[in-house]
Amino acid sequence: AYYEKVGFRGVEEKKSLEILLKDDRLDVEKLCTFSQRFPLPSMYRIFVWKVLLGILPPHGDSHALVMSYRKQQYEDVLQALQVMRFVQSSTPQVEVYLHMHQLESLALPRRTEVTPLEPEAEDFLAIARAMAKIVESSVDCYWLIKCFVNQYSNKYGDSVPHLPKSLEHFLSLEDSRLLNHLRTCNAMSKLPYNLWFRRCFAGCLPESSLQRVWDKIISGSCKILVFVAVEILLGYKIMLMGMNKPEDITQFLENMPQENTDAIVTKAIDLWHKHCGTPMHSV
Amino acid sequence: FLEDVKSQAKGELQASQSRYQAQRQVTQALQTELLELYSRLEKEDAVAGAGAAAAAAGG
Amino acid sequence: FLEDVKSQAKGELQASQSRYQAQRQVTQALQTELLELYSRLEKEDAVAGAGAAAAAAGG
């Protein structure tokens, strides 16, 4: 009965999304609300992400023209990098995306200096690798990575440093015993916060689970990241309670098992709705 | 309806402007690269010139 | 009035497009120059390499 209900809800949700997408002028706010409340059907996900991230404008009539601009811009930047020999046929695709982004933000490194990658560049690459597994077209992929990364740092840059504190708070509400254990063995300051809150779980969760988390980030919440982290800790409580060295805990979490991630994300979304409320604007 | 027309035009203009901005950033990157190459060439020419002069003096 | 707004929007878009085209011509010219420089540098490097090899063989 539960599955019937969920299945029925799924069909209803998909219909209401389709009604939203039929508008000549897409209502971005309603699309945000929808994506915050419900999972995006995978057939519409990339389209909705492109609209929410401003890669496509609200007006459907403009989509072809705007996409031709986007494609041209992609090709212009790529071609310049090829001429400058920053990019060769052997360059991995995600590094191509990185150099394109660097060129566009006037941060292309000097090639004569062989410097190790900045942490931001490593974060970009991790997000790019995950996005490349979700999105087929390289033009779409580049634009989605770039706009995702830009939106994340512009919109949530100030909140990200506070997320570990928030994690501690919600973990204390959900399971104070686990929190105490982690505190006792000095693990709280060594949790993989970069992986969780700077890379948004890219390289940590498999893409099928990851995209459901990114739905929420793209539509306007970075708080979801905290609840995913809480559910990961709760999900592996037994293992974690058995570890006493902080580096073992970090090591385990950085290479987390990939089996139950869908359930973890589902629980995280429920917990997030429970604590932060479900957006109730009419959809 | 007027707002509609305006917002549609705005969306298209923004995309067009972004394409233009990227082209400007490409220009800057190319210029930086060219400057570096020219200074490298000049250095090499100076070294080659000094080498040739030394060879001529020695011979 | 609506026609007015539309034609203004169209004008702005065209202006943006022509700015883009102009900038694109600049980058094309720079790219050509860059390619030429690269091939000049490569020739010089080859000559220098051959010279060094000859010197080593002669010495």
Side-chain angles (χ1 to χ4, degrees):
Chain A
Y2 174 75
Y3 285 102
E4 256 178 63
K5 198 175 141 206
V6 170
F8 175 73
R9 253 183 56 191
V11 171
E12 289 298 300
E13 288 158 18
K14 194 171 158 221
K15 271 190 202 154
S16 67
L17 177 63
E18 277 167 353
I19 291 167
L20 284 180
L21 294 179
K22 268 198 199 119
D23 271 343
D24 295 338
R25 182 182 175 180
L26 298 170
D27 189 327
V28 178
E29 214 170 300
K30 280 187 183 168
L31 282 175
C32 275
T33 309
F34 182 93
S35 316
Q36 293 271 298
R37 287 183 71 179
F38 307 116
L40 286 172
S42 50
M43 62 186 298
Y44 297 119
R45 173 168 283 119
I46 294 183
F47 179 77
V48 172
W49 283 8
K50 282 163 75 177
V51 173
L52 296 184
L53 288 170
I55 298 164
L56 286 173
H59 282 267
D61 287 349
S62 305
H63 285 182
L65 177 71
V66 166
M67 227 32 234
S68 76
Y69 290 155
R70 304 306 194 198
K71 184 161 181 275
Q72 182 80 57
Q73 183 171 337
Y74 173 89
E75 285 165 0
D76 288 344
V77 174
L78 179 60
Q79 191 195 31
L81 287 169
Q82 284 164 343
V83 170
M84 290 194 290
R85 300 181 184 181
F86 259 97
V87 162
Q88 268 124 16
S89 54
S90 61
T91 312
Q93 191 61 35
V94 290
E95 282 177 35
V96 175
Y97 295 145
L98 174 64
H99 289 316
M100 290 176 69
H101 178 64
Q102 287 172 329
L103 190 153
E104 285 206 75
S105 36
L106 291 176
L108 208 56
R110 308 254 305 245
R111 220 166 355 158
T112 42
E113 301 160 8
V114 185
T115 44
L117 283 179
E118 301 278 328
E120 288 79 16
E122 295 283 5
D123 296 341
F124 183 97
L125 285 176
I127 289 170
R129 268 182 224 113
M131 195 69 91
K133 288 187 195 149
I134 299 173
V135 187
E136 252 176 67
S137 136
S138 52
V139 176
D140 282 353
C141 189
Y142 173 64
W143 276 94
L144 284 165
I145 298 163
K146 177 173 95 160
C147 295
F148 179 85
V149 167
N150 287 345
Q151 188 213 47
Y152 191 75
S153 78
N154 293 337
K155 209 167 168 180
Y156 311 122
D158 296 338
S159 320
V160 169
H162 304 294
L163 296 182
K165 213 65 230 138
S166 173
L167 168 65
E168 218 168 314
H169 169 70
F170 288 110
L171 187 58
S172 77
L173 297 181
E174 293 300 317
D175 195 325
S176 54
R177 218 180 121 231
L178 177 58
L179 176 63
N180 282 336
H181 169 72
L182 293 172
R183 275 183 181 151
T184 311
C185 49
N186 279 325
M188 277 315 281
S189 61
K190 297 189 179 72
L191 298 181
Y193 294 124
N194 271 355
L195 180 64
W196 291 350
F197 302 148
R198 305 201 68 91
R199 299 185 182 181
C200 306
F201 294 96
C204 174
L205 297 174
E207 283 65 33
S208 55
S209 311
L210 186 67
Q211 55 194 5
R212 292 170 53 214
V213 178
W214 286 10
D215 285 346
K216 309 303 178 199
I217 299 173
I218 290 171
S219 59
S221 161
C222 69
K223 207 83 191 236
I224 182 68
L225 296 172
V226 169
F227 294 98
V228 176
V230 169
E231 286 297 342
I232 288 176
L233 295 174
L234 293 177
Y236 291 106
K237 177 177 172 179
I238 297 170
M239 314 271 228
L240 296 170
M241 294 297 279
M243 299 179 190
N244 292 311
K245 288 188 196 154
E247 52 280 16
D248 289 350
I249 291 174
T250 314
Q251 171 79 10
F252 174 79
L253 292 170
E254 277 175 351
N255 304 285
M256 194 184 105
Q258 304 282 292
E259 287 98 53
N260 296 318
T261 52
D262 262 340
I264 288 174
V265 169
T266 303
K267 283 186 193 163
I269 291 171
D270 288 345
L271 194 63
W272 169 61
H273 281 158
K274 181 180 134 195
H275 284 292
C276 299
T278 312
M280 290 310 268
H281 317 287
S282 61
V283 170
Chain B
F1 185 66
L2 184 65
E3 281 312 306
D4 219 41
V5 172
K6 276 189 186 169
S7 97
Q8 181 173 3
K10 198 176 144 201
E12 292 175 6
L13 188 63
Q14 276 174 349
S16 172
Q17 286 292 83
S18 139
R19 184 178 68 152
Y20 164 71
Q21 282 302 337
Q23 198 63 247
R24 280 185 56 129
Q25 273 124 21
V26 165
T27 306
Q28 284 210 25
L30 288 169
Q31 283 172 341
T32 311
E33 181 75 7
L34 275 168
L35 284 175
E36 256 175 53
L37 277 183
Y38 274 122
S39 82
R40 205 181 118 191
L41 265 174
E42 264 163 32
K43 266 184 218 151
E44 290 194 5
D45 284 353
V47 170
Chain C
F1 182 64
L2 184 66
E3 282 312 306
D4 227 38
V5 172
K6 274 190 186 171
S7 89
Q8 190 190 340
K10 202 177 149 198
E12 285 173 8
L13 190 62
Q14 275 173 353
S16 167
Q17 279 168 341
S18 74
R19 262 201 309 267
Y20 165 75
Q21 288 301 342
Q23 197 69 37
R24 202 172 133 82
Q25 274 160 13
V26 171
T27 65
Q28 299 274 347
L30 290 172
Q31 287 181 358
T32 309
E33 194 179 339
L34 193 58
L35 287 174
E36 272 169 27
L37 265 185
Y38 275 130
S39 80
R40 208 181 119 192
L41 268 170
E42 264 161 30
K43 266 186 216 146
E44 292 196 4
D45 284 353
V47 170

